[in-house]
Amino acid sequence: MRWLVGLLVGMTQMLGGYLLRVSCSTHQWMRGWILVTDELSVVTGADGTFTLPDLAPGRYELVIWHEQLKAASQTVTVTAGQSVPVSFAMQ
Protein backbone atom coordinates (compact mmCIF):
# COMPACT_ATOMS: atom_id res chain seq x y z
CA MET A 1 0.00 0.00 0.00
CA ARG A 2 1.28 3.48 -0.87
CA TRP A 3 0.57 6.59 1.11
CA LEU A 4 0.37 9.97 -0.51
CA VAL A 5 1.46 12.55 2.02
CA GLY A 6 1.88 15.95 0.45
CA LEU A 7 0.96 19.55 0.53
CA LEU A 8 0.51 22.18 -2.16
CA VAL A 9 2.62 24.99 -0.76
CA GLY A 10 2.03 27.67 -3.35
CA MET A 11 1.13 28.55 -6.90
CA THR A 12 2.68 31.38 -8.88
CA GLN A 13 1.81 32.61 -12.35
CA MET A 14 5.07 32.73 -14.30
CA LEU A 15 6.97 31.32 -17.26
CA GLY A 16 3.87 31.43 -19.45
CA GLY A 17 1.89 29.21 -17.08
CA TYR A 18 1.56 28.27 -13.44
CA LEU A 19 4.37 27.08 -11.20
CA LEU A 20 3.22 24.89 -8.31
CA ARG A 21 5.40 23.99 -5.34
CA VAL A 22 4.61 20.75 -3.54
CA SER A 23 6.24 19.31 -0.46
CA CYS A 24 5.89 16.42 1.93
CA SER A 25 4.29 17.23 5.26
CA THR A 26 6.41 14.53 6.93
CA HIS A 27 9.84 14.92 5.27
CA GLN A 28 10.99 18.53 4.85
CA TRP A 29 13.64 17.56 2.28
CA MET A 30 11.04 16.09 -0.08
CA ARG A 31 9.78 18.80 -2.42
CA GLY A 32 9.14 19.37 -6.06
CA TRP A 33 7.91 21.80 -8.66
CA ILE A 34 5.25 21.37 -11.33
CA LEU A 35 5.06 23.75 -14.28
CA VAL A 36 1.67 23.80 -16.00
CA THR A 37 1.96 25.54 -19.37
CA ASP A 38 0.97 25.40 -23.02
CA GLU A 39 4.54 26.32 -23.95
CA LEU A 40 7.20 23.83 -24.99
CA SER A 41 9.34 22.87 -21.99
CA VAL A 42 12.16 20.50 -21.14
CA VAL A 43 14.16 19.38 -18.10
CA THR A 44 17.94 19.43 -18.36
CA GLY A 45 20.10 16.37 -17.98
CA ALA A 46 22.46 15.96 -15.01
CA ASP A 47 25.16 17.78 -17.00
CA GLY A 48 22.87 20.74 -17.77
CA THR A 49 22.33 19.95 -21.45
CA PHE A 50 18.93 19.90 -23.13
CA THR A 51 17.36 19.33 -26.52
CA LEU A 52 14.15 20.68 -28.03
CA PRO A 53 13.61 18.29 -30.97
CA ASP A 54 11.55 19.15 -34.07
CA LEU A 55 11.41 22.85 -33.29
CA ALA A 56 10.14 24.82 -36.29
CA PRO A 57 12.48 27.46 -37.73
CA GLY A 58 11.93 30.90 -36.25
CA ARG A 59 12.81 33.26 -33.43
CA TYR A 60 12.15 32.14 -29.85
CA GLU A 61 12.59 33.44 -26.32
CA LEU A 62 14.32 30.77 -24.26
CA VAL A 63 13.67 31.05 -20.49
CA ILE A 64 15.41 29.00 -17.81
CA TRP A 65 14.49 28.75 -14.14
CA HIS A 66 15.95 27.30 -10.94
CA GLU A 67 14.27 27.31 -7.55
CA GLN A 68 17.17 29.08 -5.80
CA LEU A 69 18.43 31.33 -8.62
CA LYS A 70 17.01 34.10 -10.79
CA ALA A 71 15.25 33.18 -14.03
CA ALA A 72 17.18 34.11 -17.17
CA SER A 73 16.19 34.45 -20.81
CA GLN A 74 17.67 35.02 -24.23
CA THR A 75 16.38 35.18 -27.77
CA VAL A 76 17.51 32.44 -30.18
CA THR A 77 16.96 32.02 -33.90
CA VAL A 78 16.41 28.47 -35.13
CA THR A 79 17.33 27.58 -38.73
CA ALA A 80 16.07 24.39 -40.39
CA GLY A 81 18.50 21.48 -40.00
CA GLN A 82 20.85 23.40 -37.69
CA SER A 83 21.66 23.10 -33.99
CA VAL A 84 21.75 26.30 -31.95
CA PRO A 85 24.28 26.33 -29.12
CA VAL A 86 23.01 28.25 -26.09
CA SER A 87 24.85 29.04 -22.87
CA PHE A 88 23.49 30.54 -19.65
CA ALA A 89 25.19 31.70 -16.47
CA MET A 90 22.82 31.42 -13.50
CA GLN A 91 23.10 33.98 -10.69
Side-chain angles (χ1 to χ4, degrees), residues 6-21:
L7 176 64
L8 175 60
V9 176
M11 181 171 71
T12 305
Q13 189 170 5
M14 68 180 292
L15 302 175
Y18 292 93
L19 187 64
L20 293 83
R21 180 176 179 199

Side-chain angles (χ1 to χ4, degrees), residues 2-5 7 11 15 18 27 37 40 43 45 47 52 57 60 66-67 70 74-75 78 82 87 89:
R2 293 184 182 183
W3 294 93
L4 179 60
V5 180
L7 176 64
M11 181 171 71
L15 302 175
Y18 292 93
H27 306 97
T37 180
L40 182 61
V43 175
D47 62 355
L52 295 169
Y60 296 89
H66 184 280
E67 70 176 296
K70 293 182 181 178
Q74 61 180 272
T75 301
V78 175
Q82 300 292 318
S87 180

Side-chain angles (χ1 to χ4, degrees), residues 52-60 76-84:
L52 295 169
D54 303 322
L55 195 58
R59 190 176 165 122
Y60 296 89
V76 296
T77 302
V78 175
T79 305
Q82 300 292 318
S83 293
V84 180

Side-chain angles (χ1 to χ4, degrees), residues 7-62:
L7 176 64
L8 175 60
V9 176
M11 181 171 71
T12 305
Q13 189 170 5
M14 68 180 292
L15 302 175
Y18 292 93
L19 187 64
L20 293 83
R21 180 176 179 199
V22 293
S23 68
C24 177
S25 57
T26 304
H27 306 97
Q28 296 302 313
W29 52 269
M30 293 177 69
R31 66 176 181 260
W33 297 90
I34 301 168
L35 176 61
V36 180
T37 180
D38 290 337
E39 302 290 331
L40 182 61
S41 61
V42 65
V43 175
T44 62
D47 62 355
T49 60
F50 65 93
T51 302
L52 295 169
D54 303 322
L55 195 58
R59 190 176 165 122
Y60 296 89
E61 180 183 12
L62 181 61

